[in-house]
Amino acid sequence: MKKIALFISILLLVPLASAGEWRGDGTPLYTIAEGRIHGGVYVGGGHGLTYEDPYVEYFDLPGNIEYARLYVPVWNYNEGDWIEVSINGKSLGRSSEPDYVAAWGICDYVLNVTDELSPGMNTVSVTYHNTNGAPYSIVLVAVYNDTTMPQTRFWIAEGNHALSQTSKIDHAEVIFKGDIPKEATNATLWTMIIAGNEGEIDKLYFNSNLLGEDVGRRKSGAYFDLDSWDVTEFVGTANNSVWFERGGETYIHPFNAVLSIEFMEDQGDDYIEIHPMAESEGENLPRAVVMVLVVSMLFLIYRVRSKK
C-alpha cells in the first residue's frame, strides 16, 4: 500500500514537470525608448487568449507616426515555434525566436513597425506555429507628431518579468528617469499584464499611490489586461515610478508600462532616444521546480525498475 500511495503522489506531480522547459525569471521592465514630441502616444490592442488563427487586431491611427513597436505576447513557447506578422496584407516575415521569454514559455515577440503603418485603420494579423499555445494579444505603442498639440514627454518600458510563488519574486518596479516641470499636466500611464486571474489580488502603484487592486483579472480578454490610468495628480518632478505587486497571484507577468506627460510650455527640442534591448535574467531553476523535476526522475527510475 505504501508503494501505491507513493506512486500516486509522484504521478500527480509529473504534469507539473512536463509543462515545458523552465526559461528563467525573464526580463525586468526597462525603458526601451523615450523622448519629447509635439504630439502624443497611442497605445491599443487586445483581445485575450482565443486560439484563433490568424489572430487579428485593428488599430485606428493618426498620421505622422515617428516611432512604433508591436508586441505579440504568446503562451507556451517551445523550440521550433514561430509567428508571422502581417500589416495591411504585407507579411513582415517569420519570427522564430521571441525577444523575451520567461517561466514555462510565456514569451513576447517585439517588432519595430514604424515604417509599416498608415494613417487611419490598420489591420494586423498573426499566424503561428505552436502546438499547445497561441497569442494572448497584439498590442501597438506608437508615438506620433502633431504640431498643433502640446509638447509631451514619454517613456516606453518593456520586458517580461515572471512574478511567481515558484521563483519567489513578488514585485517589479519601473523608474521613468528624468526631471518634470511643476507645470506638467495630463499624465497618462498604460500598463500591460499577462496571466492574471480574477480574485487573486495583485496591486499596482504609481509613485507609491495605489492605482488599483486585482488589476490583472482578465478584463481585457483571457489572461490579458491592458489599462490606461490618469496619473496627473501623482506626477513627481523627477524619476516617476510604477510598482507591480504580485500579492495573491500565483504568477503574473508585467509586460509593458508607458508614461506620457504633457507640458504647458515647451521644455526644449523634440527628440526620440532608443535604448539597447536587454537580455533575460535569472536562468537558474527555482528550488520548487528542481524538486518537481527530481521527483519526476525518481518516478521514471521506479517505473523502469518495476518492469524488470
Side-chain angles (χ1 to χ4, degrees):
M1 291 297 293
K2 289 183 178 180
K3 286 186 176 181
I4 294 175
L6 177 62
F7 173 81
I8 293 174
S9 298
I10 294 175
L11 188 61
L12 291 173
L13 288 172
V14 170
L16 294 176
S18 61
E21 179 184 350
W22 176 262
R23 298 180 181 278
D25 302 330
T27 307
L29 273 65
Y30 67 100
T31 299
I32 186 69
E34 61 179 298
R36 283 192 304 258
I37 194 166
H38 285 83
V41 179
Y42 172 97
V43 181
H47 45 275
L49 184 68
T50 64
Y51 292 93
E52 63 193 76
D53 190 3
Y55 192 102
V56 181
E57 197 65 47
Y58 303 93
F59 302 94
D60 191 3
L61 301 177
N64 300 318
I65 299 297
E66 298 289 342
Y67 181 73
R69 288 179 81 75
L70 190 76
Y71 299 92
V72 186
V74 174
W75 157 241
N76 197 35
Y77 166 78
N78 288 287
E79 299 293 338
D81 291 347
W82 52 262
I83 69 167
E84 184 174 351
V85 175
S86 295
I87 298 181
N88 299 325
K90 175 187 175 182
S91 172
L92 304 186
R94 289 185 178 180
S95 299
S96 298
E97 295 291 334
D99 295 273
Y100 306 106
V101 61
W104 301 110
I106 293 179
C107 74
D108 198 14
Y109 296 85
V110 185
L111 294 86
N112 186 324
V113 295
T114 305
D115 299 325
E116 308 297 337
L117 303 168
S118 303
M121 190 62 68
N122 290 256
T123 302
V124 181
S125 65
V126 176
T127 58
Y128 56 93
H129 172 74
N130 187 314
T131 303
N132 298 311
Y136 286 104
S137 64
I138 302 173
V139 171
L140 178 67
V141 179
V143 179
Y144 60 92
N145 180 279
D146 185 340
T147 56
T148 67
M149 295 178 62
Q151 193 175 51
T152 294
R153 180 76 162 92
F154 69 88
W155 296 259
I156 301 171
E158 66 186 36
N160 173 11
H161 205 187
L163 312 185
S164 71
Q165 292 179 347
T166 301
S167 59
K168 306 301 181 185
I169 299 177
D170 299 325
H171 62 266
E173 185 178 23
V174 184
I175 299 177
F176 302 108
K177 296 180 180 179
D179 296 333
I180 302 298
K182 293 181 180 180
E183 294 77 15
T185 183
N186 294 334
T188 302
L189 171 72
W190 292 268
T191 55
M192 195 237 286
I193 295 174
I194 295 297
N197 278 297
E198 185 176 5
E200 297 180 357
I201 308 300
D202 56 275
K203 296 181 180 180
L204 180 70
Y205 296 86
F206 182 78
N207 290 341
S208 300
N209 298 281
L210 180 65
L211 297 182
E213 296 184 343
D214 202 12
V215 174
R217 60 179 185 272
R218 301 189 289 180
K219 60 184 171 297
S220 305
Y223 306 106
F224 170 65
D225 292 272
L226 180 63
D227 291 287
S228 174
W229 311 90
D230 183 348
V231 295
T232 306
E233 63 178 307
F234 304 132
V235 170
T237 55
N239 297 342
N240 291 273
S241 68
V242 179
W243 181 274
F244 298 88
E245 187 172 301
R246 179 174 65 83
E249 292 279 359
T250 304
Y251 62 94
I252 196 168
H253 291 243
F255 266 53
N256 284 95
V258 179
L259 178 64
S260 72
I261 303 174
E262 288 186 4
F263 297 150
M264 294 182 66
E265 297 181 358
D266 287 2
Q267 299 298 309
D269 295 336
D270 288 358
Y271 72 94
I272 297 178
E273 181 178 1
I274 313 301
H275 300 292
M277 293 188 69
E279 297 182 357
S280 295
E281 298 180 359
E283 296 298 328
N284 293 331
L285 286 171
R287 182 178 300 176
V289 177
V290 173
M291 291 301 297
V292 170
L293 295 175
V294 169
V295 170
S296 299
M297 289 298 296
L298 292 175
F299 167 70
L300 293 175
I301 294 171
Y302 169 81
R303 286 292 300 274
V304 171
R305 288 185 174 180
S306 67
K307 292 181 180 180
K308 292 182 178 181

